[in-house]
Amino acid sequence: MVTTQQSGRRCVGVLALQGAFAKHTSMLEDCDPDLEVIEVRTPKQLEMVDGLIIPGGESSTISKLLDLNDLRQPLAERLDAGMPVFGTCAGMILLATEVLDGREDQHSFATIDLSVRRNGYGSQLDSFEADLLIVGLDDPYQAIFIRAPKVEAVGSSVEILASIDDSPALVRSGQRLASSFHPELTNDVRLHRMFLDTCF
Ligand code: GLN
């Protein structure tokens, strides 16, 4: 594998420790055939990317695997340095400043000033779809919520790009995006493009 610097290609990563990473990877590749997309499992791979998607899955498991794979500290440093990031569902939880109903042993990066409640919309059985109006997109976006975190509060640095029943569902803070839904589960690449636009 070659670095962006070596290849001259733009390079983004998808954190691939657990959960719904594979479809994110193929959607990013669909967005731009010239883009290099790396599944990130090691600190070395993290060094290679200009931006990162943290996927949905199980935030407490991803949190544990970050420690087991020696990724917590390097990822915290990249996030603190302003690396563009898109956290989706469990990924949103991992970027939040406050996690309600979290496990005691799970830790988030406090990258976006958000308070989120894990499984705030209910269990797997309460999963649902909704057409969202998203700032910057002309047509509604079909969003799929699966054991989604509910955003209960946002800080003043956070821009709300879409809401569902008064709860923010897509937010932006500088070059950081987070969604409570799974943008990789439809074939609509508009949010992946929005993320790439923040990276490059
Ligand atoms: N409820 C899960 C968690 O706590 C997130 C669900 C998802 O990513 N679909 O991590």
Side-chain angles (χ1 to χ4, degrees), residues 13 21-22 38 59 65 72 88 108 128 136 147 183 186 193:
F21 54 85
I38 294 180
S59 55
L65 291 172
R72 181 173 304 276
T88 68
S108 288
F128 62 98
R147 292 186 303 118
T186 63
R193 285 195 198 289

mmCIF file of all heavy atoms in Angstrom, residues 13 21-22 38 59 65 72 88 108 128 136 147 183 186 193:
data_model
loop_
_atom_site.group_PDB
_atom_site.id
_atom_site.type_symbol
_atom_site.label_atom_id
_atom_site.label_comp_id
_atom_site.label_asym_id
_atom_site.label_seq_id
_atom_site.Cartn_x
_atom_site.Cartn_y
_atom_site.Cartn_z
ATOM 1 N N GLY A 13 -10.133 7.047 4.571
ATOM 2 C CA GLY A 13 -10.213 5.769 5.252
ATOM 3 C C GLY A 13 -11.592 5.510 5.816
ATOM 4 O O GLY A 13 -12.396 6.426 6.007
ATOM 5 N N PHE A 21 -18.663 -1.280 7.850
ATOM 6 C CA PHE A 21 -17.643 -0.503 7.123
ATOM 7 C C PHE A 21 -17.579 -0.811 5.633
ATOM 8 O O PHE A 21 -17.268 0.054 4.824
ATOM 9 C CB PHE A 21 -16.259 -0.683 7.768
ATOM 10 C CG PHE A 21 -15.821 -2.109 7.936
ATOM 11 C CD1 PHE A 21 -15.212 -2.777 6.893
ATOM 12 C CD2 PHE A 21 -16.013 -2.785 9.134
ATOM 13 C CE1 PHE A 21 -14.799 -4.087 7.036
ATOM 14 C CE2 PHE A 21 -15.608 -4.101 9.289
ATOM 15 C CZ PHE A 21 -15.008 -4.751 8.240
ATOM 16 N N ALA A 22 -17.915 -2.053 5.238
ATOM 17 C CA ALA A 22 -17.645 -2.465 3.847
ATOM 18 C C ALA A 22 -18.440 -1.637 2.838
ATOM 19 O O ALA A 22 -17.914 -1.209 1.809
ATOM 20 C CB ALA A 22 -17.957 -3.945 3.689
ATOM 21 N N ILE A 38 -9.060 3.326 1.985
ATOM 22 C CA ILE A 38 -8.353 2.344 2.811
ATOM 23 C C ILE A 38 -9.226 1.924 3.986
ATOM 24 O O ILE A 38 -9.820 2.783 4.640
ATOM 25 C CB ILE A 38 -7.061 2.968 3.382
ATOM 26 C CG1 ILE A 38 -6.074 3.266 2.270
ATOM 27 C CG2 ILE A 38 -6.423 2.056 4.408
ATOM 28 C CD1 ILE A 38 -4.799 3.890 2.793
ATOM 29 N N SER A 59 -20.981 0.774 19.370
ATOM 30 C CA SER A 59 -19.970 1.738 19.826
ATOM 31 C C SER A 59 -19.112 1.191 20.963
ATOM 32 O O SER A 59 -17.908 1.476 21.022
ATOM 33 C CB SER A 59 -20.643 3.040 20.253
ATOM 34 O OG SER A 59 -21.633 2.805 21.230
ATOM 35 N N LEU A 65 -12.166 -2.216 20.718
ATOM 36 C CA LEU A 65 -11.225 -2.613 19.662
ATOM 37 C C LEU A 65 -10.224 -1.500 19.345
ATOM 38 O O LEU A 65 -9.101 -1.764 18.917
ATOM 39 C CB LEU A 65 -12.003 -3.022 18.404
ATOM 40 C CG LEU A 65 -12.788 -4.329 18.572
ATOM 41 C CD1 LEU A 65 -13.683 -4.581 17.365
ATOM 42 C CD2 LEU A 65 -11.829 -5.507 18.769
ATOM 43 N N ARG A 72 -6.475 4.119 19.698
ATOM 44 C CA ARG A 72 -7.176 5.211 20.392
ATOM 45 C C ARG A 72 -6.356 6.502 20.403
ATOM 46 O O ARG A 72 -6.847 7.559 20.021
ATOM 47 C CB ARG A 72 -7.563 4.832 21.820
ATOM 48 C CG ARG A 72 -8.315 5.993 22.487
ATOM 49 C CD ARG A 72 -8.880 5.662 23.822
ATOM 50 N NE ARG A 72 -9.759 4.515 23.770
ATOM 51 C CZ ARG A 72 -11.061 4.545 23.437
ATOM 52 N NH1 ARG A 72 -11.636 5.684 23.109
ATOM 53 N NH2 ARG A 72 -11.786 3.445 23.439
ATOM 54 N N THR A 88 -21.010 7.826 11.682
ATOM 55 C CA THR A 88 -22.391 7.447 11.383
ATOM 56 C C THR A 88 -22.879 6.466 12.443
ATOM 57 O O THR A 88 -22.240 5.449 12.695
ATOM 58 C CB THR A 88 -22.506 6.834 9.962
ATOM 59 O OG1 THR A 88 -21.844 5.576 9.914
ATOM 60 C CG2 THR A 88 -21.883 7.749 8.927
ATOM 61 N N SER A 108 -15.645 7.897 24.362
ATOM 62 C CA SER A 108 -15.761 8.623 23.096
ATOM 63 C C SER A 108 -14.697 9.708 23.029
ATOM 64 O O SER A 108 -14.031 10.002 24.014
ATOM 65 C CB SER A 108 -17.166 9.218 22.970
ATOM 66 O OG SER A 108 -18.087 8.169 22.732
ATOM 67 N N PHE A 128 -36.303 2.321 11.822
ATOM 68 C CA PHE A 128 -37.262 2.960 10.917
ATOM 69 C C PHE A 128 -36.540 3.730 9.812
ATOM 70 O O PHE A 128 -35.325 3.930 9.877
ATOM 71 C CB PHE A 128 -38.185 3.917 11.691
ATOM 72 C CG PHE A 128 -37.467 5.060 12.364
ATOM 73 C CD1 PHE A 128 -37.407 6.309 11.768
ATOM 74 C CD2 PHE A 128 -36.831 4.877 13.591
ATOM 75 C CE1 PHE A 128 -36.730 7.370 12.381
ATOM 76 C CE2 PHE A 128 -36.155 5.928 14.209
ATOM 77 C CZ PHE A 128 -36.108 7.166 13.608
ATOM 78 N N GLY A 136 -28.444 21.902 2.066
ATOM 79 C CA GLY A 136 -27.449 21.713 1.006
ATOM 80 C C GLY A 136 -27.835 20.674 -0.022
ATOM 81 O O GLY A 136 -27.183 20.557 -1.054
ATOM 82 N N ARG A 147 -31.273 1.135 15.743
ATOM 83 C CA ARG A 147 -30.800 1.324 17.132
ATOM 84 C C ARG A 147 -30.005 2.632 17.221
ATOM 85 O O ARG A 147 -28.893 2.696 17.749
ATOM 86 C CB ARG A 147 -29.935 0.139 17.596
ATOM 87 C CG ARG A 147 -30.729 -1.155 17.755
ATOM 88 C CD ARG A 147 -29.887 -2.270 18.354
ATOM 89 N NE ARG A 147 -28.702 -2.534 17.579
ATOM 90 C CZ ARG A 147 -27.460 -2.401 18.027
ATOM 91 N NH1 ARG A 147 -27.233 -2.043 19.270
ATOM 92 N NH2 ARG A 147 -26.441 -2.650 17.242
ATOM 93 N N PRO A 183 -25.957 6.198 6.403
ATOM 94 C CA PRO A 183 -26.001 6.693 5.016
ATOM 95 C C PRO A 183 -25.459 5.700 3.993
ATOM 96 O O PRO A 183 -25.563 5.942 2.796
ATOM 97 C CB PRO A 183 -25.124 7.954 5.054
ATOM 98 C CG PRO A 183 -24.212 7.717 6.185
ATOM 99 C CD PRO A 183 -24.934 6.879 7.194
ATOM 100 N N THR A 186 -28.413 2.935 1.656
ATOM 101 C CA THR A 186 -29.104 3.123 0.373
ATOM 102 C C THR A 186 -27.996 3.313 -0.659
ATOM 103 O O THR A 186 -26.818 3.328 -0.306
ATOM 104 C CB THR A 186 -30.003 4.368 0.387
ATOM 105 O OG1 THR A 186 -29.165 5.510 0.563
ATOM 106 C CG2 THR A 186 -31.031 4.305 1.509
ATOM 107 N N ARG A 193 -20.506 12.214 -0.809
ATOM 108 C CA ARG A 193 -19.916 13.334 -1.565
ATOM 109 C C ARG A 193 -19.735 14.557 -0.673
ATOM 110 O O ARG A 193 -18.727 15.265 -0.757
ATOM 111 C CB ARG A 193 -20.819 13.712 -2.751
ATOM 112 C CG ARG A 193 -20.740 12.739 -3.899
ATOM 113 C CD ARG A 193 -21.364 13.349 -5.159
ATOM 114 N NE ARG A 193 -21.678 12.323 -6.124
ATOM 115 C CZ ARG A 193 -20.780 11.644 -6.825
ATOM 116 N NH1 ARG A 193 -19.500 11.897 -6.664
ATOM 117 N NH2 ARG A 193 -21.149 10.713 -7.677
#
